[in-house]
Amino acid sequence: MKKIFLSRITAVSLCFFMLVTSLIACAKPDSGNTGDSTPAATDSTAQTPETSSNTDENGFLLDDLSPDLNFGNSTVRFLVWSDVENNEFEIAEQSDNAVDNAIYLRNKTVERRLGVTFEFEAIPGNYGNQRNFISTAQTRISAGSSSAPHIMAAYSLTSAGLVANGLTYKLNELENLDFSKPWWPDRLLTESMINGNYYLCSGDISTNMLHKMHAIFFNKDMTANNGHTTDSLYDKALAGEWTLDDLFSMTADVYEDRNNSGTKDRGDLFGLYICDNYFDVFYYASDLIIVDRDADGKPKISDDFTSEKAVNLADKVGSFFANRNGAFFITDFTESAYMSDGNAMMIISRCDVALKKLRFSDNLDYGVLPVPKYDKDQKDYVSCLAFPCSLYVASKSIGDDASMVGAVLEAMGSEGYRKITPVLFEATMKTRYASDGKIANVYDIIRSSVTFDLGRIFYSSLGEVNNIFRKACSGNTGSYMANASANRKSLQTMLNKLIADIGN
């Protein structure tokens, strides 16, 4: 049965004032890096900070890995995607980019702690390169231990393909890996379990989980001119009262025919501007999932998929974008440019647009909100990840190295929680490039509510199932229930095959 889980509020948002203050104090102007720019950090991995409890000197939780773990300078082989959109794997040397430095120090710290050496092989693995990445992984694994990767990390759908092709190891059987820790998101574990096992992981081990969260960005001047102050929007969101009706009512009539074409087009100003690929974000934000579990824990197509709520949602979204002047969708991923150019009051996009695009807009003062709840009766916000996030898996061929692989994954997540997330999330996303304090609390909500529906993770294996909702919204055909019902049986068949292929 479907369950709602309260997300952990990690020490990242509770114990970081001193570190954020020091980072901001020493920061230099950024000349184009996507991370905060600071003087090169000192490689302090030669010493372990003294602590008096289970937290470090900054108040961050420590892992429970034994200090006696040492794998004798063994090589840990990684196969990763070279076309990742934001750095998270190998950084050759320190620089003035604080995020890259944090990744560098994370890697060096783990190598020192565990007595290992990282070896990265990077090949294309994004949406268009899924098959090649999976084929290469299969070749490496079949060739034997000398060339087989221990850990693979790729575009989310590519990693799911590795699982579907039987190339991965059960993570819950790895010694040293503790999924109860805050660097592993709750919903990843509760929603991605297959036959009682975990095969994929993400969290503080990955910068791209943070980069690829979906959110609403708004132009503060425009919202104020339309009767909605920044504080009122934040207060509503932080009170848990920000709903789909609120979003639609405040954007429905915000429109200006700026190019005098007499028709809605890209040259105009709109209240809400999104890419059609983001329509399924509304589905997840409404606390709906595609794959649930039956009474025995076996994955099944969720009752949500053909529910009255899903039908009403598809009709509401489709009608809004078809019939209200203030709503406009595009078929590419250029929504941030329209906000930067002053042609959108609100957009739905990925969080990394703030670092890559919006902060370079001289005349834009922007704010951030979670994608809204379906209604006020919904308990929690739910945040959807964009597909270009990284999911990590262990190779099925790790054999006697299983203990080492578990320790490496745990240490990378743990060190990422303390070294990378504070720099990326706290100093860069929430503080340095945010113009007000409440935005930090909004980012906390978004981060703590990330969802990992199996239907989305295995999108490629389930006939690109999300497109059913997307097309119903973009076409405004009122056909969601008919199409969802017509496809339900075949989707269950595909899901059954996927589960069988993965095995027990």
Side-chain angles (χ1 to χ4, degrees):
M1 298 295 292
K2 182 179 176 182
K3 297 180 181 179
I4 299 175
F5 290 81
L6 291 176
S7 301
R8 284 181 296 240
I9 301 298
T10 71
V12 170
S13 60
L14 299 177
C15 309
F16 201 61
F17 175 77
M18 292 181 65
L19 183 55
V20 171
T21 302
S22 65
L23 280 167
I24 296 172
C26 68
K28 298 187 300 185
D30 193 330
S31 58
N33 291 328
T34 57
D36 194 2
S37 188
T38 66
T42 301
D43 186 348
S44 58
T45 60
Q47 296 182 354
T48 301
E50 293 184 5
T51 61
S52 58
S53 64
N54 64 339
T55 60
D56 68 8
E57 70 276 15
N58 294 308
F60 291 99
L61 186 69
L62 296 169
D63 57 57
D64 294 328
L65 292 173
S66 170
D68 298 326
L69 279 177
N70 188 297
F71 296 98
N73 201 34
S74 296
T75 298
V76 181
R77 293 180 295 275
F78 290 79
L79 182 64
V80 301
W81 56 318
S82 60
D83 39 11
V84 63
E85 294 184 10
N86 302 281
N87 288 339
E88 71 172 84
F89 303 119
E90 182 178 26
I91 301 296
E93 60 185 16
Q94 292 181 282
S95 67
D96 64 351
N97 184 295
V99 175
D100 284 355
N101 278 349
I103 297 170
Y104 174 88
L105 293 176
R106 185 270 313 268
N107 291 349
K108 293 301 180 184
T109 300
V110 175
E111 287 179 320
R112 175 188 57 78
R113 286 186 65 188
L114 301 179
V116 298
T117 300
F118 287 173
E119 179 180 286
F120 291 91
E121 178 184 4
I123 63 173
N126 64 11
Y127 182 82
N129 290 294
Q130 295 177 65
R131 290 184 180 180
N132 178 68
F133 191 101
I134 294 168
S135 175
T136 300
Q138 188 149 23
T139 299
R140 298 280 191 276
I141 291 170
S142 299
S145 60
S146 62
S147 63
H150 293 98
I151 296 169
M152 297 176 283
Y155 178 80
S156 62
L157 302 184
T158 304
S159 292
L162 294 170
V163 176
N165 281 272
L167 300 175
T168 59
Y169 197 94
K170 298 172 185 176
L171 298 181
N172 48 294
E173 293 186 357
L174 291 178
E175 186 181 356
N176 299 313
L177 195 55
D178 186 354
F179 282 134
S180 71
K181 298 300 186 182
W183 36 91
W184 305 116
D186 284 331
R187 283 180 177 265
L188 171 66
L189 305 179
T190 57
E191 295 178 0
S192 67
M193 182 181 287
I194 302 171
N195 296 332
N197 298 304
Y198 305 132
Y199 294 88
L200 304 127
C201 65
S202 190
D204 291 285
I205 195 172
S206 169
T207 62
N208 282 283
M209 194 198 86
L210 293 173
H211 282 302
K212 298 305 176 183
M213 301 182 300
H214 283 104
I216 290 179
F217 295 87
F218 65 93
N219 183 312
K220 292 182 180 179
D221 292 334
M222 285 191 191
T223 53
N225 290 339
N226 284 277
H228 307 280
T229 67
T230 297
D231 278 344
S232 69
L233 291 173
Y234 284 158
D235 289 345
K236 181 179 283 287
L238 294 174
E241 298 174 351
W242 172 236
T243 68
L244 191 62
D245 283 343
D246 293 324
L247 172 66
F248 284 180
S249 65
M250 69 182 295
T251 58
D253 299 316
V254 178
Y255 173 72
E256 183 180 334
D257 185 7
R258 288 192 164 177
N259 60 6
N260 297 312
S261 67
T263 179
K264 290 170 57 174
D265 57 37
R266 285 174 177 258
D268 299 339
L269 180 148
F270 294 97
L272 181 60
Y273 200 102
I274 73 170
C275 172
D276 61 345
N277 268 31
Y278 299 157
F279 279 131
D280 48 331
V281 172
F282 290 119
Y283 184 91
Y284 292 107
S286 298
D287 202 21
L288 300 171
I289 56 176
I290 293 173
V291 173
D292 204 344
R293 285 158 187 79
D294 62 20
D296 297 322
K298 181 180 178 181
K300 68 167 189 173
I301 300 301
S302 173
D303 293 341
D304 289 349
F305 188 61
T306 49
S307 66
E308 181 180 357
K309 181 178 179 181
V311 174
N312 291 340
L313 178 65
D315 289 346
K316 177 180 285 191
V317 174
S319 175
F320 178 72
F321 280 89
N323 300 317
R324 301 308 295 261
N325 282 339
F328 193 72
F329 69 87
I330 52 176
T331 57
D332 54 25
F333 298 95
T334 57
E335 67 282 346
S336 62
Y338 290 87
M339 172 157 277
S340 295
D341 292 342
N343 288 323
M345 185 174 81
M346 288 187 165
I347 61 171
I348 294 178
S349 194
R350 306 159 180 180
C351 282
D352 58 355
V353 304
L355 281 74
K356 292 182 174 181
K357 302 288 185 181
L358 301 184
R359 69 184 178 92
F360 295 112
S361 303
D362 293 336
N363 298 319
L364 174 64
D365 189 11
Y366 70 88
V368 182
L369 294 167
V371 180
K373 298 177 180 180
Y374 180 78
D375 57 29
K376 290 184 179 180
D377 292 331
Q378 184 173 314
K379 185 175 182 181
D380 298 313
Y381 295 102
V382 183
S383 303
C384 179
L385 285 174
F387 286 126
C389 63
S390 297
L391 295 179
Y392 286 66
V393 300
S395 167
K396 73 172 185 179
S397 62
I398 55 178
D400 293 339
D401 292 328
S403 176
M404 178 180 71
V405 169
V408 168
L409 287 171
E410 181 72 3
M412 288 181 72
S414 167
E415 296 295 341
Y417 164 80
R418 289 187 297 277
K419 287 184 169 63
I420 300 175
T421 298
V423 176
L424 174 62
F425 186 59
E426 296 286 345
T428 304
M429 286 185 171
K430 285 174 44 174
T431 305
R432 179 156 171 76
Y433 302 117
S435 58
D436 51 70
K438 290 182 180 179
I439 196 172
N441 298 325
V442 173
Y443 269 124
D444 281 333
I445 287 176
I446 297 169
R447 180 175 181 266
S448 67
S449 62
V450 167
T451 185
F452 296 89
D453 173 34
L454 279 181
R456 186 170 178 83
I457 291 175
F458 288 97
Y459 171 89
S460 296
S461 298
L462 296 176
E464 300 184 339
V465 59
N466 297 79
N467 287 342
I468 294 174
F469 184 80
R470 290 179 187 174
K471 290 179 179 178
C473 293
S474 61
N476 189 34
T477 58
S479 61
Y480 176 77
M481 177 59 88
N483 288 334
S485 298
N487 282 277
R488 186 181 183 95
K489 184 176 180 180
S490 62
L491 286 170
Q492 186 64 55
T493 299
M494 285 187 276
L495 179 60
N496 291 343
K497 181 180 185 304
L498 172 65
I499 301 307
D501 289 344
I502 294 172
N504 296 316

